């Protein structure tokens, strides 16, 4: 059995989340688009942060994950690193 490095596991997890979102009817929103209620952000991990990255949903005014966030990025580490992200929207 192939032994996965942590970075490989993270890539597999992120691909899995994206694939499940697409099967559920979500589509990637072009970069720079205005976010609307119901949009979901899938944020890449950053060095020193959670190796799984982060996923959050916008209600039209606030971003939520398992807590109410101050911005799309869930904490100071994410805001400082500003890792890449993709926005998905249910069509």
């Amino acid at each position: 059995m192939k032994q996965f490095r942590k970075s490989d596991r993270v890539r597999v997890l992120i691909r899995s989340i994206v694939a499940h979102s697409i099967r559920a009817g979500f589509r990637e929103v072009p970069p720079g688009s205005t976010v609307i209620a119901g949009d979901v952000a899938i944020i890449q991990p950053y060095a020193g942060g959670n190796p799984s990255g982060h996923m959050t949903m916008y209600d039209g005014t606030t971003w939520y994950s398992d807590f109410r966030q101050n911005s799309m990025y869930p904490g100071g580490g994410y805001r400082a690193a500003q890792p890449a992200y993709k926005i998905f929207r249910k069509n």
Side-chain angles (χ1 to χ4, degrees):
M1 174 179 256
K2 180 181 176 186
Q3 187 70 17
F4 283 105
R5 294 184 320 257
K6 183 183 279 189
S7 61
D8 291 333
R9 289 192 304 263
V10 170
R11 282 189 207 95
V12 168
L13 176 63
I14 290 170
R15 278 195 303 264
S16 177
I17 291 169
V18 169
H20 285 295
S21 298
I22 290 170
R23 278 197 299 276
F26 284 80
R27 298 290 176 253
E28 186 176 344
V29 176
S33 297
T34 300
V35 293
I36 62 172
D39 284 354
V40 173
I42 298 176
I43 306 170
Q44 299 292 312
Y46 68 93
N50 185 325
S52 297
H54 189 72
M55 190 167 142
T56 183
M57 181 179 241
Y58 189 63
D59 74 351
T61 58
T62 305
W63 288 96
Y64 290 91
S65 55
D66 54 335
F67 59 94
R68 184 181 187 278
Q69 300 178 191
N70 294 325
S71 71
M72 183 191 68
Y73 289 115
Y78 277 94
R79 286 189 291 276
Q82 300 219 343
Y85 65 88
K86 291 186 178 185
I87 303 291
F88 289 85
R89 180 172 296 153
K90 177 94 173 179
N91 290 339

